[in-house]
Amino acid sequence: MREKSLNLPPERRKTMQEDTYKTIQESAEAIYTEKRSKFIAIALPVRTLSEVKSLLEEYQKKYYDARHVCYAYMLGAERKDFRANDNGEPSGTAGKPILGQINSRELTDVLVIVVRYFGGIKLGTSGLIVAYRMAASLALDEAPVIEKTVDEDVAVAFEYPFMNDIMRIVKEESPEILEQSYDMDCLMRLRIRKSMMGKLRARLEKVETARMLDE
């Protein structure tokens, strides 16, 4: 995934192409207090469900003495893999408002954990919703947002005499070279932005002896 810092005005963000998505560049933390209850919020960049599970286990151990360790996550460029967990709080008062903050920023590949230390005064349903939402928001406010592209890979095999033809295409289309080997039968594995893959593949296929290995 290629990335760049995202500091675009709203009108530019609306026109971002479908093969881009927003995530956070690094982890961030924030603390929110309400009626002596302390909410520690941690926003973490993640890529896989196994990574989410590992981080949850890590923070549950770290804050073993906390009353609640609630969380929400969103995964994938299409933002279809998500979950919210209240961890013992009344249903919908913790995980859902945390997830709402992720959604309001149109982020993905992010896990937000909010740890609550009970202060002895009950906050009520609406108070809990506000507190978890505010804690998650503060943590995400501290996390730099970046734009990433959805990339695809292609592998092409070709005979050595046609190396220059392949390299000319690579130079002009600027894909990332993931792997290359040169013998009588050469191999090159490339990665490029999804919206640009069609053109790259079409050009490679026109080179004599070129064979796509991912089909």
Side-chain angles (χ1 to χ4, degrees), residues 34-199:
E34 180 66 28
K35 294 181 179 178
R36 293 191 295 194
S37 278
K38 183 179 180 181
F39 297 84
I40 303 171
I42 308 103
L44 301 151
V46 289
R47 293 291 299 276
T48 65
L49 182 55
S50 61
E51 191 176 356
V52 169
K53 291 179 178 177
S54 177
L55 286 168
L56 284 173
E57 183 177 340
E58 175 186 335
Y59 279 91
Q60 285 164 350
K61 288 181 179 178
K62 180 177 180 179
Y63 296 103
Y64 68 92
D65 58 338
R67 178 70 69 92
H68 304 282
V69 180
C70 308
Y71 66 88
Y73 67 78
M74 179 77 71
L75 295 173
E78 296 182 349
R79 306 181 72 248
K80 293 181 179 180
D81 187 1
F82 59 88
R83 185 181 179 187
N85 187 289
D86 296 312
N87 192 231
E89 294 282 30
S91 180
T93 63
K96 188 174 180 180
I98 296 171
L99 182 62
Q101 289 303 301
I102 297 173
N103 275 325
S104 69
R105 290 166 165 77
E106 300 180 342
L107 298 172
T108 192
D109 285 356
V110 62
L111 165 67
V112 178
I113 301 170
V114 180
V115 180
R116 181 191 181 192
Y117 283 96
F118 184 52
I121 301 175
K122 292 185 178 180
L123 301 182
T125 300
S126 59
L128 286 172
I129 292 172
V130 171
Y132 279 102
R133 181 174 66 232
M134 285 298 299
S137 178
L138 290 172
L140 288 171
D141 284 346
E142 295 298 317
V145 175
I146 55 174
E147 175 189 344
K148 288 189 175 183
T149 59
V150 180
D151 298 335
E152 293 183 345
D153 297 353
V154 62
V156 57
F158 53 94
E159 294 180 7
Y160 188 82
F162 299 93
M163 167 72 70
N164 288 340
D165 295 331
I166 295 291
M167 292 308 297
R168 184 180 304 111
I169 295 171
V170 169
K171 181 179 180 180
E172 293 173 357
E173 300 300 329
S174 301
E176 179 184 357
I177 301 175
L178 302 178
E179 178 186 350
Q180 52 189 329
S181 59
Y182 305 119
D183 207 334
M184 285 307 295
D185 195 19
C186 304
L187 171 70
M188 189 169 289
R189 189 175 300 277
L190 307 169
R191 175 171 292 167
I192 198 168
R193 184 170 174 164
K194 183 178 179 180
S195 59
M196 301 171 67
M197 176 59 79
K199 182 182 177 184

